[in-house]
Amino acid sequence: MIHSTHLSALALATGLLATPVMAQSVNLYTTREPGLLNPVLAAFTQDTGIKVNAVFLKDGLQERIKAEGANSPADVMLVVDVGEINAAVDAGITQPVKSAAVDKIVPAQLRGPDDSWVTLTKRARIVIVSKDRVQQDAITYEDLADPKWKGRFCIRAGQHPYNNAFFAAYLARNGAEKTEGYLKALKANTARKPGGGDRDVARDILSGQCDIALINTYYIGLMSQAKNEQKGWYDAIKPLKTSFADGGTHVNVSAAAIAKNAPNKDNAVKLIEYMLTPKAQELYGDGNFEFPVNADVKESAAVKLLGAITPDKTPLTDIARNRKAAADLVDKVGFDN
């Protein structure tokens, strides 16, 4: 029997470990769907020769990495939602992404403090209306509070992460008093109790239960390609050009960070840089109708369907910082009751 120590010595003597296997791999932990990520990961391996070992998790990503401790094999974390990636930083399980290519492509407001994380794709939260019953093409988020929408507005639960991030952005821009008033006005305009999913508000527009709603842009894209009743929901709605009164469109992100104890740090940087290339941005972003962060990608599926967006300049870190306060205000006004 050859012991592992003897085997390692033999391998070294024969040159078998001249290029360690670990140097040609990278370990990815992610909460994204395999079908969305696998095409771009396969392209990365084909173009670089670096194998991606992907661990797909529904939840508990941070807890797993913390439990693995200093011996964690995780190199890259890829998640959806600025709150989730910011929480990973706060948990002390990340390290800065140091890359001139990343700095050149990704605007400062779409990166974490001290480059602790990097945006890979954007999704906007915009207003949709009944194509038949509402005759306008643009709106501000502030206009949703107008009493003219009383009994006509649909929205999923205020405590859902998508709405929590939006309310946190409003809070970062306007302060607690104005945000509380805004939430009360939105609640007064609702046609039904907040709840369901984003696609459900399109369904309710088709049925006539409401005329106006908030939705993440990628759901519009997915419904446009549906082969079931959701295609009818898509046909009933019209997306509006949506922005803050004195700013751009609220966006949330998919984002990546390098794990604190990454055993393959160089390859981790290479994977993040690759996912920002035009080729990867199209493969990754188009799969879920997300907007590219690389400005050189002009013809993404999301842009073709919905037009280009100008993201609000509120730093995503400010949004993450205000999420708890926004959630408290949602409870205070009884938004979801």
Side-chain angles (χ1 to χ4, degrees), residues 26-57:
V26 62
N27 303 315
L28 171 69
Y29 282 32
T30 182
T31 53
R32 303 233 69 176
E33 293 292 329
L36 179 61
L37 270 183
N38 282 335
V40 70
L41 299 182
F44 171 74
T45 297
Q46 182 177 6
D47 291 347
T48 67
I50 300 170
K51 179 184 178 183
V52 181
N53 303 307
V55 177
F56 294 96
L57 301 163

Side-chain angles (χ1 to χ4, degrees), residues 19-27 50-51 53 73 75 262-264 267:
T19 303
V21 174
M22 287 293 286
Q24 295 304 317
S25 65
V26 62
N27 303 315
I50 300 170
K51 179 184 178 183
N53 303 307
D75 292 309
N264 304 290
N267 287 344

Side-chain angles (χ1 to χ4, degrees), residues 153-172:
F153 175 58
C154 283
I155 187 172
R156 72 189 306 163
Q159 290 294 15
H160 189 277
Y162 299 162
N163 284 331
N164 175 248
F166 168 61
F167 295 148
Y170 193 97
L171 179 59

Side-chain angles (χ1 to χ4, degrees), residues 135 185 287:
Q135 304 304 313

Side-chain angles (χ1 to χ4, degrees), residues 286 291 298-308:
D286 286 2
F291 288 91
K298 307 292 187 186
E299 294 296 318
S300 70
V303 171
K304 287 178 182 176
L305 182 69
L306 299 165

